[in-house]
Amino acid sequence: MLVKRRRDDGSADIRVGLTVTKKLGGAVVRNRMKRRLREVCRAVFPDHGEAGCDYVLIARPAAETRVFVLLLDDLKRALLTLAHAAT
């Protein structure tokens, strides 16, 4: 799940926060999910994120075992959906 908020502070930075709750597993599982999601964000946000916005990525259980390429596609699709919803 992805949530977006425009900051309107004049900065062009894209900020991203990750949320992985204890419901998804122990510390080892949560840390693995956070590492994977951080890498996906590093790959996708520079090209597809909107400048001047904050994003919060909320992990779901499938993020642990999802193929990395599919995670990339999922995040790109979510960003496009949010961009079209704002217009």
Side-chain angles (χ1 to χ4, degrees), residues 8-56:
D8 293 328
D9 62 356
S11 174
D13 294 339
I14 299 172
R15 299 188 306 191
V16 180
L18 299 173
T19 301
V20 183
T21 65
K22 288 184 178 181
K23 290 180 190 177
L24 299 178
V28 173
V29 172
R30 292 193 317 271
N31 288 333
R32 184 182 313 121
M33 290 175 76
K34 285 188 273 189
R35 283 192 305 270
R36 294 187 74 196
L37 293 174
R38 275 195 297 265
E39 279 304 311
V40 168
C41 291
R42 282 187 193 113
V44 172
F45 275 101
D47 296 330
H48 299 285
E50 185 179 339
C53 289
D54 292 338
Y55 292 91
V56 178

